[in-house]
Structures are given as structure tokens and as C-alpha cells.
Amino acid sequence: MKDVFFSPYRLTPRQPLNSKTQGIVRHGALLKVIWNDGLCGYADLHPWEELGDQGLSEQLRLIGEGRWTPLSYSSLSLARKDAEFRLVGKNLLPEKGELKNNALISSVKDVDDDLLNTLKLQGFDTVKIKLGGDLKLETHQLRKFTNTSFRLRFDFNSLLSEHSYSEFMSSVPKEVRDQIEYVEDPFPYDSKAWARARKWAPLAVDQDISHVITHADPAFDVLILKPAKSDVTEVVQFAQKHRCKVAVTSYMDHVVGVLHAASVAHELFKEYGELILESGCLTHHLFEESEFSEGVLSEGPYLYAGPGVGVGFNSQLEALSWQKLARL
Ligand code: MG
């Protein structure tokens, strides 16, 4: 048996997070779970209705009835992991950075020499750019990566069609195309169309991962693993079987969720080495500061363990007011 508590929160984006969302306040809840064996752990629950998740009140209602969604079930597993680390007094993250994160550019308009020089000096090797809003402007801006040494990750959030993707990629200079590590979700997954689109650059699957993971002959090279939502073991086993790589990313959620994702990335990197690509967990700065985000220790591409045990934030978590949701 366990008692589940929740504490709702809001995150205010500094600018629109991707082309599917406006810069509106986002709602989520932190979960606190106390098990009958006395362990207590914390996790985040941050639905993206725009990406097909059930909304927050629905997620909470279902937990109240003892029913778990992929999102809330992941939160429960991560809360248990947090509890186990708290029990032995260990932080989930390493004290030294070992696995880098990509820099995230939400608006391609921001790309200029100053930004790229700053990112290089900070130690970033890889830049992820959200694309698909204004393809003409984006082709123009991407030329600014010519003669830089950055590895590039593009994410279209499935906004294009096979045809518009081909057109776009043929307009990107070859020097820039050669720097692409992968293109994420150019258009909704379709094995034949993706197999054709792979001639432009390696492909990564994110949004359709739960469907394609059962696919016998995957037409992609990289799996985007979001511990907030996906079964970590299932994704890693699939990657090993089909010789794909894995990039672990946050769910653009509360920093409790961000650090849980970063700790999964670190753990997998230690165990599987080069199967695990650089992560995409540096997303806390997308939102206005909070008492939590101020407690995140990061330097350039690395996230480190902050004070406290488990996911950290001991005093911040204790200071929240918690409402009882269920005894299950
Ligand atoms: Mg994505």
C-alpha cells in the first residue's frame, strides 16, 4: 500500500516552447508517495495535452481511482527510485558532469554569431533546434552553422509532410546537412516514408515512440527516451536489438522531472556507454525562475547534483503544501 499526495504548480515559459504551443502558463503537479515500508519519494507529473497526454485534472482523477497512465506510472516509478536514494542518503545525480546535454534553441531567429560563440565557449558540442514554423527563415538561419563544429539536432514535432521535408532538406546547404546528427519527427511516423527520408539525414523518433517500439523493422536511427513517459528498459532493449542509439531528454517539465531524466541518462550512460548519445535535459531555463530552478546546479552542458539527497530540493519539497490524493 502507498499514500499519494500532490502539490500543483505553474511554469511560465520565457517564450513559446515550440511551434505547437503559445507562451502560456503550464500546469503540472509534484507527487509525493509514501509506501507502507516507510520510504518516501518525489516525482513530477507534467502532461502535454498538445502532444496527446490526458490533462492534469484527468491524470489526478485517474490516480485517485488507482488507475495509472503511461505518464503517471513513470512518475510513480521515478518517485520510488527517489525514495530508495533518499533512504541511503545519496543524490541521484553525479557530483561531476560526465554526459553532456545539447543546447536548446527554441527560436531559430535567435541564431547569430554571438550566440554560437557563447555556446562554444560554454563547452556545448551539440545544438538542438526546434523547426517547422517558418521554413524559409529557418533555411536562411541554418546557414549560420556553416564552418562551425556543432553537431546539429533538428526537431520538427511532426509538422511537415514527406514532400515539404524533402524540399526543406534540399534547400539546406550540404555543409550544414553534414553536421546533422539526427532529425527528430520530421513528419508522423510511417516506415516506408521514413525509410525514403533517411537519405537526407539520420532520423529520430520521439512522439510516436510507443507505437513504433513494436515495429519489426524500424526506419530510424535514434530513439528519444523521455523517462517522464516511456518505459526505460523497453526503449533500451529495443535500441540494442535494432542497433539504434538513445538520446534521453526531459519532458520540458518541472526541474524535479528534469533532474529525474538527467539521472536516468547518467545511469544509462554508465551502463551502456556509446549507445547513449548526449542528453537533452537542460530545459529549466525555458521557464521563469522559481525556488526550485535556482537550486539547479549546471555549468555549460552539464547538470550536477545539488544539495540534498534523491532528486534534491529537500527544503523546497518540505515547504510545499501537499494534498492527499489516494491510498492505494
Ligand atoms: Mg521531440
Side-chain angles (χ1 to χ4, degrees), residues 10-14 284-291 293:
R10 291 152 167 255
L11 298 176
T12 309
R14 292 178 197 263
H284 60 286
H285 55 272
L286 296 174
F287 300 103
E288 284 177 8
E289 279 191 0
S290 68
E291 67 275 25
S293 65

Side-chain angles (χ1 to χ4, degrees), residues 264-294:
V264 169
H266 171 253
E267 215 174 70
L268 293 177
F269 182 61
K270 275 204 306 197
E271 191 169 348
Y272 298 102
E274 61 182 29
L275 181 82
I276 309 300
L277 302 176
E278 282 191 17
S279 305
C281 296
L282 268 181
T283 52
H284 60 286
H285 55 272
L286 296 174
F287 300 103
E288 284 177 8
E289 279 191 0
S290 68
E291 67 275 25
F292 280 88
S293 65
E294 284 163 8

